[in-house]
Amino acid sequence: MSGGAALRAALSLGRPLRVAGVHDALSALVAQRCGFDAAWASGLGVAAVNGMPDANVLTMSEVCDATRVISQATPMPVISDCDTGFGEVRNLRRSVAEFERGGAAAVCIEDKLYPKRNSFRPGQELLDPYEFAMKVRVAKETQLDPDFMVFARVESLIAGVGMEDALLRAGLYAEAGADAIVIHSKAETATEVTEFSRHWQERSPQVPLVAIPTTYHRTTIEELTASGIAIVIYANQAIRASVRAMESALRGIVDAGTSSEIEDELVPVGALFELTGEDLIDRLDQRFLADTEDARARQPGE
Protein backbone atom coordinates (compact mmCIF):
# COMPACT_ATOMS: atom_id res chain seq x y z
CA MET A 1 0.00 0.00 0.00
CA SER A 2 1.34 3.42 -0.96
CA GLY A 3 1.61 6.23 1.56
CA GLY A 4 -1.26 8.01 -0.14
CA ALA A 5 -3.46 4.92 0.07
CA ALA A 6 -2.58 4.53 3.76
CA LEU A 7 -3.46 8.16 4.43
CA ARG A 8 -6.78 7.85 2.63
CA ALA A 9 -7.55 4.63 4.50
CA ALA A 10 -6.87 6.34 7.83
CA LEU A 11 -9.15 9.22 6.84
CA SER A 12 -11.93 6.82 5.89
CA LEU A 13 -12.14 5.48 9.46
CA GLY A 14 -14.16 8.50 10.50
CA ARG A 15 -12.06 9.45 13.50
CA PRO A 16 -9.74 12.44 13.88
CA LEU A 17 -6.36 11.96 12.24
CA ARG A 18 -3.59 12.96 14.65
CA VAL A 19 -0.49 14.17 12.82
CA ALA A 20 2.87 14.93 14.45
CA GLY A 21 5.22 17.51 13.07
CA VAL A 22 8.62 15.85 12.68
CA HIS A 23 11.96 17.07 11.43
CA ASP A 24 14.05 13.92 10.97
CA ALA A 25 13.89 10.13 11.15
CA LEU A 26 14.36 9.98 14.92
CA SER A 27 11.50 12.37 15.66
CA ALA A 28 9.31 10.34 13.27
CA LEU A 29 10.13 7.14 15.17
CA VAL A 30 9.24 8.82 18.46
CA ALA A 31 5.95 10.10 17.00
CA GLN A 32 5.11 6.62 15.77
CA ARG A 33 5.83 5.12 19.19
CA CYS A 34 3.61 7.74 20.82
CA GLY A 35 0.62 6.71 18.74
CA PHE A 36 0.27 9.37 16.07
CA ASP A 37 -1.46 8.40 12.84
CA ALA A 38 0.75 10.28 10.38
CA ALA A 39 3.79 12.54 10.19
CA TRP A 40 4.07 16.11 8.98
CA ALA A 41 7.53 16.76 7.52
CA SER A 42 7.61 20.26 8.98
CA GLY A 43 9.08 23.05 6.90
CA LEU A 44 10.01 24.93 10.06
CA GLY A 45 11.49 21.82 11.64
CA VAL A 46 13.51 20.73 8.62
CA ALA A 47 14.82 24.27 8.17
CA ALA A 48 15.70 24.55 11.86
CA VAL A 49 17.71 21.32 12.00
CA ASN A 50 19.69 22.70 9.06
CA GLY A 51 20.28 25.91 10.99
CA MET A 52 18.19 27.90 8.52
CA PRO A 53 15.13 30.18 8.81
CA ASP A 54 11.74 29.00 7.59
CA ALA A 55 11.81 31.34 4.60
CA ASN A 56 12.28 29.19 1.48
CA VAL A 57 16.02 29.22 2.06
CA LEU A 58 16.35 25.44 1.71
CA THR A 59 16.11 24.07 -1.82
CA MET A 60 13.43 21.69 -3.01
CA SER A 61 16.01 18.89 -3.13
CA GLU A 62 17.05 19.45 0.47
CA VAL A 63 13.47 19.31 1.75
CA CYS A 64 12.69 16.34 -0.48
CA ASP A 65 15.75 14.46 0.83
CA ALA A 66 14.59 15.11 4.40
CA THR A 67 11.11 13.84 3.54
CA ARG A 68 12.58 10.72 1.94
CA VAL A 69 14.59 9.93 5.08
CA ILE A 70 11.49 10.39 7.25
CA SER A 71 9.36 8.24 4.94
CA GLN A 72 11.91 5.44 4.99
CA ALA A 73 12.10 5.49 8.78
CA THR A 74 8.42 4.96 9.55
CA PRO A 75 5.41 3.16 8.09
CA MET A 76 3.25 6.17 8.97
CA PRO A 77 2.10 8.18 5.94
CA VAL A 78 4.11 11.39 5.60
CA ILE A 79 2.62 14.74 4.58
CA SER A 80 5.36 17.05 3.37
CA ASP A 81 5.17 20.77 4.05
CA CYS A 82 6.20 22.18 0.66
CA ASP A 83 5.57 25.84 1.47
CA THR A 84 4.56 27.56 -1.78
CA GLY A 85 5.75 24.71 -4.01
CA PHE A 86 9.30 26.07 -4.34
CA GLY A 87 8.38 28.63 -6.98
CA GLU A 88 6.05 28.94 -9.92
CA VAL A 89 4.09 26.23 -11.71
CA ARG A 90 7.14 24.75 -13.42
CA ASN A 91 8.87 24.37 -10.04
CA LEU A 92 5.75 22.95 -8.42
CA ARG A 93 5.37 20.35 -11.17
CA ARG A 94 8.84 18.99 -10.53
CA SER A 95 8.35 19.21 -6.76
CA VAL A 96 5.22 17.02 -6.84
CA ALA A 97 7.02 14.41 -8.95
CA GLU A 98 10.07 14.37 -6.68
CA PHE A 99 8.15 14.22 -3.41
CA GLU A 100 5.91 11.44 -4.70
CA ARG A 101 8.98 9.45 -5.78
CA GLY A 102 10.53 10.22 -2.39
CA GLY A 103 7.76 8.41 -0.53
CA ALA A 104 5.50 11.27 0.58
CA ALA A 105 1.82 10.40 0.94
CA ALA A 106 0.87 14.02 0.31
CA VAL A 107 2.27 17.48 -0.22
CA CYS A 108 0.88 20.66 1.27
CA ILE A 109 1.23 23.94 -0.61
CA GLU A 110 0.15 27.36 0.64
CA ASP A 111 -1.32 30.31 -1.21
CA LYS A 112 1.37 32.88 -0.49
CA LEU A 113 3.89 34.57 -2.73
CA TYR A 114 7.29 32.93 -3.23
CA PRO A 115 9.54 33.24 -1.31
CA LYS A 116 7.23 32.78 1.69
CA ARG A 117 7.51 34.05 5.22
CA ASN A 118 6.59 31.86 8.17
CA SER A 119 2.92 32.32 8.98
CA PHE A 120 3.70 33.71 12.45
CA ARG A 121 5.94 36.44 11.04
CA PRO A 122 4.68 39.83 9.86
CA GLY A 123 4.50 40.82 6.20
CA GLN A 124 2.30 38.07 4.72
CA GLU A 125 1.56 38.38 0.99
CA LEU A 126 -1.04 36.18 -0.68
CA LEU A 127 -1.00 34.86 -4.22
CA ASP A 128 -3.96 35.59 -6.47
CA PRO A 129 -6.52 32.87 -5.61
CA TYR A 130 -7.23 31.97 -9.25
CA GLU A 131 -3.52 31.59 -9.94
CA PHE A 132 -3.10 29.37 -6.89
CA ALA A 133 -6.08 27.25 -7.96
CA MET A 134 -4.24 26.61 -11.22
CA LYS A 135 -1.19 25.51 -9.22
CA VAL A 136 -3.39 23.02 -7.38
CA ARG A 137 -4.70 21.73 -10.70
CA VAL A 138 -1.18 21.31 -12.08
CA ALA A 139 -0.12 19.47 -8.93
CA LYS A 140 -3.01 17.02 -9.31
CA GLU A 141 -2.28 16.54 -13.01
CA THR A 142 1.36 15.78 -12.22
CA GLN A 143 0.92 12.98 -9.66
CA LEU A 144 1.17 9.39 -10.86
CA ASP A 145 -0.31 7.51 -7.90
CA PRO A 146 -4.07 8.20 -7.87
CA ASP A 147 -4.00 7.99 -4.05
CA PHE A 148 -1.36 10.69 -3.67
CA MET A 149 -2.89 13.75 -2.00
CA VAL A 150 -2.47 17.49 -2.43
CA PHE A 151 -3.36 19.68 0.55
CA ALA A 152 -4.14 23.34 -0.20
CA ARG A 153 -3.34 25.68 2.66
CA VAL A 154 -5.46 28.81 2.97
CA GLU A 155 -3.62 31.73 4.59
CA SER A 156 -6.39 34.36 4.46
CA LEU A 157 -6.92 34.37 8.23
CA ILE A 158 -3.16 34.54 8.81
CA ALA A 159 -2.89 37.54 6.47
CA GLY A 160 -5.92 39.22 8.07
CA VAL A 161 -8.02 39.50 4.91
CA GLY A 162 -11.09 37.85 6.39
CA MET A 163 -13.43 34.89 6.39
CA GLU A 164 -15.09 35.53 3.03
CA ASP A 165 -11.72 35.59 1.31
CA ALA A 166 -10.80 32.32 3.04
CA LEU A 167 -14.03 30.65 1.91
CA LEU A 168 -13.64 31.92 -1.65
CA ARG A 169 -10.11 30.62 -1.87
CA ALA A 170 -10.93 27.26 -0.32
CA GLY A 171 -13.81 26.78 -2.73
CA LEU A 172 -11.62 27.52 -5.74
CA TYR A 173 -8.93 25.15 -4.52
CA ALA A 174 -11.42 22.36 -3.87
CA GLU A 175 -12.85 22.81 -7.39
CA ALA A 176 -9.30 22.60 -8.75
CA GLY A 177 -8.89 19.17 -7.15
CA ALA A 178 -7.40 19.76 -3.70
CA ASP A 179 -7.79 16.62 -1.58
CA ALA A 180 -7.89 18.58 1.69
CA ILE A 181 -8.06 22.21 2.79
CA VAL A 182 -5.74 23.45 5.54
CA ILE A 183 -7.37 26.42 7.24
CA HIS A 184 -4.64 28.22 9.14
CA SER A 185 -5.09 30.74 11.94
CA LYS A 186 -2.84 32.49 14.44
CA ALA A 187 -5.66 33.47 16.81
CA GLU A 188 -5.40 32.45 20.46
CA THR A 189 -8.70 30.59 20.27
CA ALA A 190 -10.15 28.25 17.65
CA THR A 191 -13.12 30.55 16.94
CA GLU A 192 -11.94 31.48 13.43
CA VAL A 193 -11.26 27.87 12.49
CA THR A 194 -14.54 26.54 13.84
CA GLU A 195 -16.49 29.34 12.13
CA PHE A 196 -14.80 28.52 8.84
CA SER A 197 -15.57 24.84 9.37
CA ARG A 198 -19.24 25.59 10.01
CA HIS A 199 -19.51 27.42 6.70
CA TRP A 200 -17.45 24.75 4.93
CA GLN A 201 -19.72 21.92 6.04
CA GLU A 202 -22.57 23.71 4.26
CA ARG A 203 -20.56 24.10 1.04
CA SER A 204 -18.09 21.27 0.47
CA PRO A 205 -18.25 18.75 3.34
CA GLN A 206 -16.73 16.03 1.13
CA VAL A 207 -13.33 17.82 1.15
CA PRO A 208 -11.73 17.30 4.59
CA LEU A 209 -10.49 20.20 6.66
CA VAL A 210 -7.13 20.37 8.40
CA ALA A 211 -6.26 22.49 11.45
CA ILE A 212 -2.88 23.40 12.94
CA PRO A 213 -3.51 24.42 16.57
CA THR A 214 -0.20 26.12 17.33
CA THR A 215 -1.60 29.29 18.88
CA TYR A 216 -5.00 27.93 19.99
CA HIS A 217 -3.37 24.99 21.76
CA ARG A 218 -5.97 24.82 24.54
CA THR A 219 -8.51 23.47 22.04
CA THR A 220 -8.61 19.67 22.10
CA ILE A 221 -8.65 17.32 19.16
CA GLU A 222 -12.15 16.26 20.20
CA GLU A 223 -13.39 19.85 20.13
CA LEU A 224 -11.91 20.42 16.69
CA THR A 225 -13.39 17.18 15.40
CA ALA A 226 -16.81 18.15 16.72
CA SER A 227 -16.59 21.32 14.64
CA GLY A 228 -15.89 19.35 11.47
CA ILE A 229 -12.07 19.20 11.38
CA ALA A 230 -10.81 15.84 10.05
CA ILE A 231 -7.04 16.22 10.50
CA VAL A 232 -5.17 17.95 13.32
CA ILE A 233 -1.47 18.70 12.82
CA TYR A 234 0.82 19.46 15.76
CA ALA A 235 3.31 21.00 13.39
CA ASN A 236 6.18 22.30 15.51
CA GLN A 237 5.83 20.99 19.07
CA ALA A 238 8.52 18.31 18.64
CA ILE A 239 11.20 20.67 17.35
CA ARG A 240 10.38 23.21 20.06
CA ALA A 241 10.52 20.54 22.76
CA SER A 242 13.84 19.22 21.46
CA VAL A 243 15.48 22.66 21.63
CA ARG A 244 14.31 23.10 25.23
CA ALA A 245 15.52 19.62 26.22
CA MET A 246 18.92 19.95 24.54
CA GLU A 247 19.55 23.36 26.02
CA SER A 248 18.58 22.18 29.50
CA ALA A 249 20.88 19.16 29.31
CA LEU A 250 23.88 20.91 27.80
CA ARG A 251 23.60 23.96 30.06
CA GLY A 252 23.43 21.60 33.04
CA ILE A 253 26.71 19.99 31.98
CA VAL A 254 28.41 23.36 31.58
CA ASP A 255 27.14 24.61 34.94
CA ALA A 256 28.00 21.45 36.89
CA GLY A 257 31.13 20.41 35.04
CA THR A 258 29.72 16.87 34.79
CA SER A 259 26.72 15.12 33.26
CA SER A 260 25.84 13.29 36.48
CA GLU A 261 23.43 16.06 37.54
CA ILE A 262 21.23 15.53 34.48
CA GLU A 263 21.47 11.77 33.92
CA ASP A 264 18.04 11.18 35.46
CA GLU A 265 16.53 13.47 32.80
CA LEU A 266 18.05 11.50 29.91
CA VAL A 267 16.83 8.32 28.27
CA PRO A 268 19.31 5.45 28.65
CA VAL A 269 21.56 4.79 25.69
CA GLY A 270 19.78 1.45 25.40
CA ALA A 271 16.52 3.27 24.67
CA LEU A 272 18.14 4.78 21.59
CA PHE A 273 19.34 1.33 20.57
CA GLU A 274 15.80 0.02 20.88
CA LEU A 275 14.27 2.93 18.99
CA THR A 276 16.66 2.65 16.06
CA GLY A 277 16.65 -1.16 15.76
CA GLU A 278 20.11 -2.11 17.05
CA ASP A 279 18.76 -5.56 17.98
CA LEU A 280 17.96 -6.18 14.31
CA ILE A 281 21.60 -5.56 13.46
CA ASP A 282 22.67 -8.02 16.13
CA ARG A 283 20.31 -10.69 14.79
CA LEU A 284 21.48 -10.05 11.24
CA ASP A 285 25.14 -10.38 12.24
CA GLN A 286 24.45 -13.60 14.14
CA ARG A 287 22.54 -15.11 11.24
CA PHE A 288 25.29 -14.10 8.80
CA LEU A 289 27.94 -15.80 10.92
CA ALA A 290 25.82 -18.92 11.42
CA ASP A 291 24.99 -19.20 7.71
CA THR A 292 28.64 -18.73 6.82
CA GLU A 293 29.66 -21.53 9.18
CA ASP A 294 26.95 -23.83 7.78
CA ALA A 295 28.10 -23.14 4.23
CA ARG A 296 31.70 -23.86 5.18
CA ALA A 297 30.74 -27.10 6.92
CA ARG A 298 28.94 -28.37 3.81
CA GLN A 299 32.04 -28.05 1.64
CA PRO A 300 33.79 -31.41 1.02
CA GLY A 301 37.25 -31.90 2.44
CA GLU A 302 36.96 -29.24 5.04
Side-chain angles (χ1 to χ4, degrees):
M1 180 185 292
S2 68
L7 185 58
R8 289 181 184 274
L11 269 172
S12 71
L13 297 177
R15 59 175 176 79
L17 205 64
R18 302 161 301 177
V19 183
V22 302
H23 45 275
D24 57 15
L26 184 62
S27 56
L29 290 171
V30 172
Q32 177 188 332
R33 187 167 69 176
C34 290
F36 279 87
D37 304 301
W40 166 263
S42 162
L44 171 60
V46 172
V49 295
N50 281 277
M52 294 292 176
D54 181 26
N56 280 146
V57 175
L58 294 185
T59 65
M60 181 272 291
S61 296
E62 288 174 306
V63 178
C64 187
D65 286 345
T67 299
R68 183 180 294 107
V69 169
I70 291 167
S71 298
Q72 291 172 345
T74 174
M76 290 191 302
V78 177
I79 305 161
S80 188
D81 178 9
C82 288
D83 295 332
T84 56
F86 302 97
E88 301 301 332
V89 169
R90 68 191 73 171
N91 307 87
L92 174 63
R93 187 172 181 274
R94 184 185 174 210
S95 298
V96 169
E98 293 293 334
F99 279 86
E100 184 180 356
R101 276 195 291 267
V107 293
C108 178
I109 53 174
E110 58 196 73
D111 57 356
K112 292 193 292 201
L113 293 180
Y114 176 87
K116 58 83 61 90
R117 292 176 66 83
N118 183 280
S119 295
F120 301 113
R121 302 280 294 166
Q124 302 297 320
E125 296 182 279
L126 300 182
L127 188 65
D128 175 83
Y130 295 92
E131 185 176 342
F132 187 79
M134 291 303 102
K135 291 181 76 170
V136 171
R137 182 167 296 174
V138 168
K140 291 301 296 177
E141 290 172 350
T142 301
Q143 70 184 69
L144 298 178
D145 178 2
D147 289 320
F148 186 80
M149 299 181 74
V150 174
F151 288 23
R153 181 162 138 181
V154 178
E155 294 280 300
S156 302
L157 303 179
I158 291 289
V161 296
M163 186 64 64
E164 283 306 315
D165 185 80
L167 289 164
L168 168 68
R169 287 173 176 271
L172 290 172
Y173 308 160
E175 289 175 9
D179 298 293
I181 297 294
V182 181
I183 180 63
H184 205 11
S185 170
K186 58 183 178 182
E188 293 184 0
T189 71
T191 302
E192 284 185 333
V193 170
T194 56
E195 181 185 349
F196 178 94
S197 182
R198 178 171 55 81
H199 290 296
W200 188 251
Q201 303 313 316
E202 298 170 355
R203 301 185 185 197
S204 301
Q206 71 280 6
V207 180
L209 290 183
V210 185
I212 306 175
T214 300
T215 53
Y216 49 97
H217 48 78
R218 293 178 181 84
T219 307
T220 67
I221 292 177
E222 291 74 18
E223 289 169 333
L224 289 170
T225 303
S227 76
I229 301 296
I231 303 173
V232 182
I233 300 175
Y234 290 90
N236 50 54
Q237 283 76 6
I239 188 70
R240 290 158 57 201
S242 66
V243 171
R244 172 69 60 83
M246 286 189 291
E247 185 172 12
S248 175
L250 297 176
R251 192 176 299 280
I253 293 171
V254 169
D255 290 345
T258 173
S259 68
S260 63
E261 298 287 332
I262 63 160
E263 285 296 326
D264 289 343
E265 302 174 20
L266 310 179
V267 299
V269 174
L272 283 179
F273 292 162
E274 178 187 0
L275 193 59
T276 56
E278 286 279 346
D279 58 334
L280 176 62
I281 297 298
D282 292 340
R283 292 197 301 271
L284 179 63
D285 288 348
Q286 291 165 6
R287 193 186 73 183
F288 173 77
L289 292 174
D291 289 350
T292 301
E293 289 303 316
D294 287 345
R296 182 179 291 113
R298 288 195 298 271
Q299 291 301 311
E302 296 221 5

